[in-house]
Amino acid sequence: YLDATRASCIDAGDTGVYLHWYGKHSPRPGRKMGHITCLGETAQEALELAEAVRARLPGLAACGAPA
């Protein structure tokens, strides 16, 4: 899930990267706390940006996210 620790890995200066918090107060298994949107000039550019952001998120593999 997206929490403050993972979100801190997102640089506010990243062009095309937008963090959206849902305002929920407590995480639970399977509960979305927020999401990240990545935009680019092309779908490939957006995908590459998303992969670069994901690579900076600590412990993502440990929470069961697909590789």
Side-chain angles (χ1 to χ4, degrees), residues 14-32:
D14 282 342
T15 302
V17 178
Y18 303 94
L19 176 61
H20 305 274
W21 286 110
Y22 299 155
K24 298 176 182 176
H25 298 286
S26 59
R28 293 192 299 259
R31 183 180 200 191
K32 286 179 65 177

Side-chain angles (χ1 to χ4, degrees), residues 12-55:
D14 282 342
T15 302
V17 178
Y18 303 94
L19 176 61
H20 305 274
W21 286 110
Y22 299 155
K24 298 176 182 176
H25 298 286
S26 59
R28 293 192 299 259
R31 183 180 200 191
K32 286 179 65 177
M33 301 299 289
H35 70 270
I36 301 166
T37 301
C38 296
L39 303 176
E41 292 293 320
T42 65
Q44 183 62 36
E45 185 179 301
L47 177 60
E48 290 170 4
L49 182 57
E51 289 172 342
V53 170
R54 181 177 184 210

